[in-house]
Structures are given as structure tokens and as C-alpha cells.
Amino acid sequence: MEATACGWVVRFTPHICLNKSGGKETASVTLNHKGRKANGSIRHVSMSYLQCRRVPIGHKMRPSMELSRSRKDFHATTIGSSYFHASIDERWLLKTKGDEVSSCLDGRSIFLVGMMGSGKTTVGKILSEALGYSFVDSDKYVEQVMGGASVDRIFSQCGESFFRDYESEALRRLSLMPQQVVATGGGAVIRPINWEYMKQGVTVYLDVPLDALAKRIAAVGTESRPLLRFESGDAYTKVFVGLFTLSKKRGPSYASADVTVSVLDLARSLSVEDISDITPTAIAIEVLVQIEKYLRGDNVSTRMLP
Ligand SMILES: Nc1ncnc2c1ncn2[C@@H]1O[C@H](COP(=O)(O)OP(=O)(O)OP(=O)(O)O)[C@@H](O)[C@H]1O
Ligand SMILES: O=C(O)C1=C[C@@H](O)[C@@H](O)[C@H](O)C1
């Protein structure tokens, strides 16, 4: 049985067993997911069904269930149906989704693209754990190949196009390896050849509003971000203007990803006003949901490579 609502889908086989002992009716609920019992993660099961309908003793039923995402706090996700309600832990949902998507991916890697600060590293690490994949940051990969020189130093001493050549070579090599979540550099999308490498796996665009990106980056500084140091003004304005200029050039390229996860759309569907209330884990779950849809052909893309 499949539990669906608001885009998150989990497959369960729920069994409700009624037993009579000592004149009292008791009930037990077991939710199986791919043969594994999920009871341990379920915090609460309220069986309204049992209160309003008589069910033959020992009868097993398989009710349909709906899964809806929780608002605001994200501590739990609520499963609801006309029969019963249950709350499950967000981490459990991540792992469950991770297992499902992992089996559909058949070893294909995930390439996360998006502007600087969009959470490719943060969300990517969570995703890799959920999928049982390794995590690679392509900027770090280039730094290693360059004997530990920072991206910033490579830019200042050798120039951007030198860095881009190494970035392309890093993506080429990474595209040959299975079962990896790759956090790409923010500018990796600008070279068409990089798309050929990244499309060996599934490409995912993390779409985060510039205002949120500018706040995140201004908070940690621009020391390691050579492309954001040329504007004038306070830290936030400098970063915002720099990001705005880059995003104008890159918007169409990001749109070539197989899957787009818009943090703004996610916030809307969760009725969350402030996107900073959305945890990286919730974004990782949404990425898995969207990848699954893509692999099933639910969101057929007519977009062309740049
Ligand atoms: N969902 C989130 N909510 C709030 N802050 C976040 C979120 N995701 C990431 N951050 C913060 O934003 C900053 C940038 O995140 P991260 O390094 O993951 O982005 P990135 O896309 O890998 O950036 P870059 O391309 O520059 O390497 C970090 O300080 C991180 O803690
Ligand atoms: O957006 C960009 O062009 C960049 C993003 C970083 O990840 C680094 O790859 C580098 O600073 C360039």
C-alpha cells in the first residue's frame, strides 16, 4: 500500500489485528515497510477506527493511509487516514525514502547544482547518508588535485578559466564513479560539457531565493568566494548584488537539471512563512521525493541541454 499526500510517498503494509482476551478487546498495529517493521519509529497511533466501527475479532485489514508533512517544527511527520493517525520521525522518513530511491537509482550518482550557499554541501551530506552513497564536494576535489591550494588561491593565481578546466576534469572523473552524491561548484553549470558529465547521473537543482543566500553567505563572510568580492556596500548588499549578477547569467543553465527543488515552493506547501524554518533534512527528503518522481517519469522534462 502506498501512502501519499503533498508529494511525499511511503509504502506501508499496515495490519491491524484485534484480539479478545479476558473479555477485553485489544488491538495491535504493525506497519511494515519493505518487510521491515516500522513500529519502533512510530510515536503515536490513535485508532479512531476501532472506536467507531465493530470489526470481527482477529480480522486483519489494510486501510489506505495518507502521509502529510508537518508544519513549522518538523519534529514529526503525520500520517493520517480515516482509520488512524500516526506520527513518524523525520529521520525515519528520510531513511525510508533513501532506501526506496536508492533501489530505483541503480547506482546512479546524484549531482547537486545551485548557487553558492544553496545548501549543496549540507543537504548533500544528509542525502548521501540516506542513500548509502559517498559524498564528494567537487571544489574540494579540485583543491586536492591542486595539492591543497584553495579555490580562492587558484582563482587569484591562475585565473577563473584555469579553475574551470580543473572543475570540468573533476566532474568528468566523478561522472565515471557510481553511488556518489556530488556537491558541484556554483558555476559548474556554465560549461555545456559539464552537463554531459553530470547527466551520467541525476542532476538536482537546489533553488533558494537570493535573499536567503545573501544572508547565509554574509553571515560567514566571502573570504573563500572569489566571485563575490567586487561589489561595494555592506556585507549583505555586496553579496546580494554579486549573486544577482551571477544568477542572471546562470538561471537558464540551472533550469536544465533533471529535478528542481524550490525551497520557496516547499515552504508554501508546508505553510512555512520563513524558509529558514525548513531543515536541511526536510529539503533532503523533498529531493528524494522529486528524484523518485523523475525516475518514475512523473515529471517529464522537455528541457534541452544548454
Ligand atoms: N536549509 C538551510 N537552512 C539554513 N542554513 C543553511 C541551510 N542549508 C545550508 N545552510 C547554511 O548555508 C551555508 C552554505 O551552505 P552549504 O555550504 O551547504 O552550501 P553550498 O551550496 O555547498 O555552497 P558552496 O557552493 O559555496 O560550496 C552554510 O553556513 C550552511 O550551514
Ligand atoms: O559560483 C561560482 O562560480 C563558484 C562557486 C564555488 O563553489 C566555487 O566553485 C568557486 O568559488 C566559484
Side-chain angles (χ1 to χ4, degrees), residues 60 198 223 226 231 252:
K60 284 186 181 181
M198 296 191 291
E223 284 72 31
E231 310 296 332

mmCIF file with all atom_site columns, all heavy atoms in Angstrom, residues 60 198 223 226 231 252:
data_model
loop_
_atom_site.group_PDB
_atom_site.id
_atom_site.type_symbol
_atom_site.label_atom_id
_atom_site.label_alt_id
_atom_site.label_comp_id
_atom_site.label_asym_id
_atom_site.label_entity_id
_atom_site.label_seq_id
_atom_site.pdbx_PDB_ins_code
_atom_site.Cartn_x
_atom_site.Cartn_y
_atom_site.Cartn_z
_atom_site.occupancy
_atom_site.B_iso_or_equiv
_atom_site.pdbx_formal_charge
_atom_site.auth_seq_id
_atom_site.auth_comp_id
_atom_site.auth_asym_id
_atom_site.auth_atom_id
_atom_site.pdbx_PDB_model_num
ATOM 1  N N   . LYS A 1 60  ? -7.864 -8.939  9.941   1.00 0.00 ? 60  LYS A N   1
ATOM 2  C CA  . LYS A 1 60  ? -6.765 -8.060  9.527   1.00 0.00 ? 60  LYS A CA  1
ATOM 3  C C   . LYS A 1 60  ? -7.270 -7.161  8.419   1.00 0.00 ? 60  LYS A C   1
ATOM 4  O O   . LYS A 1 60  ? -7.919 -7.617  7.499   1.00 0.00 ? 60  LYS A O   1
ATOM 5  C CB  . LYS A 1 60  ? -5.597 -8.883  8.979   1.00 0.00 ? 60  LYS A CB  1
ATOM 6  C CG  . LYS A 1 60  ? -4.790 -9.551  10.041  1.00 0.00 ? 60  LYS A CG  1
ATOM 7  C CD  . LYS A 1 60  ? -3.587 -10.200 9.407   1.00 0.00 ? 60  LYS A CD  1
ATOM 8  C CE  . LYS A 1 60  ? -2.763 -10.903 10.451  1.00 0.00 ? 60  LYS A CE  1
ATOM 9  N NZ  . LYS A 1 60  ? -1.579 -11.531 9.882   1.00 0.00 ? 60  LYS A NZ  1
ATOM 10 N N   . MET A 1 198 ? 27.649 15.414  -15.882 1.00 0.00 ? 198 MET A N   1
ATOM 11 C CA  . MET A 1 198 ? 26.705 15.311  -14.755 1.00 0.00 ? 198 MET A CA  1
ATOM 12 C C   . MET A 1 198 ? 25.470 14.488  -15.122 1.00 0.00 ? 198 MET A C   1
ATOM 13 O O   . MET A 1 198 ? 24.882 13.837  -14.269 1.00 0.00 ? 198 MET A O   1
ATOM 14 C CB  . MET A 1 198 ? 26.284 16.704  -14.281 1.00 0.00 ? 198 MET A CB  1
ATOM 15 C CG  . MET A 1 198 ? 27.452 17.508  -13.711 1.00 0.00 ? 198 MET A CG  1
ATOM 16 S SD  . MET A 1 198 ? 26.941 19.022  -12.867 1.00 0.00 ? 198 MET A SD  1
ATOM 17 C CE  . MET A 1 198 ? 26.354 20.033  -14.215 1.00 0.00 ? 198 MET A CE  1
ATOM 18 N N   . GLU A 1 223 ? 35.468 35.331  2.272   1.00 0.00 ? 223 GLU A N   1
ATOM 19 C CA  . GLU A 1 223 ? 36.910 35.035  2.109   1.00 0.00 ? 223 GLU A CA  1
ATOM 20 C C   . GLU A 1 223 ? 37.154 33.932  1.083   1.00 0.00 ? 223 GLU A C   1
ATOM 21 O O   . GLU A 1 223 ? 38.085 33.985  0.292   1.00 0.00 ? 223 GLU A O   1
ATOM 22 C CB  . GLU A 1 223 ? 37.550 34.603  3.445   1.00 0.00 ? 223 GLU A CB  1
ATOM 23 C CG  . GLU A 1 223 ? 37.797 35.748  4.421   1.00 0.00 ? 223 GLU A CG  1
ATOM 24 C CD  . GLU A 1 223 ? 36.511 36.261  5.020   1.00 0.00 ? 223 GLU A CD  1
ATOM 25 O OE1 . GLU A 1 223 ? 35.569 35.445  5.169   1.00 0.00 ? 223 GLU A OE1 1
ATOM 26 O OE2 . GLU A 1 223 ? 36.413 37.469  5.313   1.00 0.00 ? 223 GLU A OE2 1
ATOM 27 N N   . PRO A 1 226 ? 35.720 33.939  -4.354  1.00 0.00 ? 226 PRO A N   1
ATOM 28 C CA  . PRO A 1 226 ? 36.382 34.950  -5.186  1.00 0.00 ? 226 PRO A CA  1
ATOM 29 C C   . PRO A 1 226 ? 35.432 35.744  -6.078  1.00 0.00 ? 226 PRO A C   1
ATOM 30 O O   . PRO A 1 226 ? 35.757 36.862  -6.458  1.00 0.00 ? 226 PRO A O   1
ATOM 31 C CB  . PRO A 1 226 ? 37.353 34.117  -6.041  1.00 0.00 ? 226 PRO A CB  1
ATOM 32 C CG  . PRO A 1 226 ? 36.859 32.712  -5.961  1.00 0.00 ? 226 PRO A CG  1
ATOM 33 C CD  . PRO A 1 226 ? 36.188 32.580  -4.644  1.00 0.00 ? 226 PRO A CD  1
ATOM 34 N N   . GLU A 1 231 ? 31.827 43.896  -5.355  1.00 0.00 ? 231 GLU A N   1
ATOM 35 C CA  . GLU A 1 231 ? 30.783 44.920  -5.237  1.00 0.00 ? 231 GLU A CA  1
ATOM 36 C C   . GLU A 1 231 ? 31.045 45.775  -4.001  1.00 0.00 ? 231 GLU A C   1
ATOM 37 O O   . GLU A 1 231 ? 31.758 45.388  -3.094  1.00 0.00 ? 231 GLU A O   1
ATOM 38 C CB  . GLU A 1 231 ? 29.405 44.248  -5.131  1.00 0.00 ? 231 GLU A CB  1
ATOM 39 C CG  . GLU A 1 231 ? 29.134 43.196  -6.190  1.00 0.00 ? 231 GLU A CG  1
ATOM 40 C CD  . GLU A 1 231 ? 29.104 43.771  -7.596  1.00 0.00 ? 231 GLU A CD  1
ATOM 41 O OE1 . GLU A 1 231 ? 28.776 44.954  -7.726  1.00 0.00 ? 231 GLU A OE1 1
ATOM 42 O OE2 . GLU A 1 231 ? 29.433 43.045  -8.542  1.00 0.00 ? 231 GLU A OE2 1
ATOM 43 N N   . PRO A 1 252 ? 19.142 30.041  -16.722 1.00 0.00 ? 252 PRO A N   1
ATOM 44 C CA  . PRO A 1 252 ? 18.732 29.036  -17.711 1.00 0.00 ? 252 PRO A CA  1
ATOM 45 C C   . PRO A 1 252 ? 19.531 27.746  -17.589 1.00 0.00 ? 252 PRO A C   1
ATOM 46 O O   . PRO A 1 252 ? 19.011 26.666  -17.860 1.00 0.00 ? 252 PRO A O   1
ATOM 47 C CB  . PRO A 1 252 ? 19.027 29.720  -19.049 1.00 0.00 ? 252 PRO A CB  1
ATOM 48 C CG  . PRO A 1 252 ? 19.130 31.175  -18.748 1.00 0.00 ? 252 PRO A CG  1
ATOM 49 C CD  . PRO A 1 252 ? 19.612 31.286  -17.341 1.00 0.00 ? 252 PRO A CD  1
#
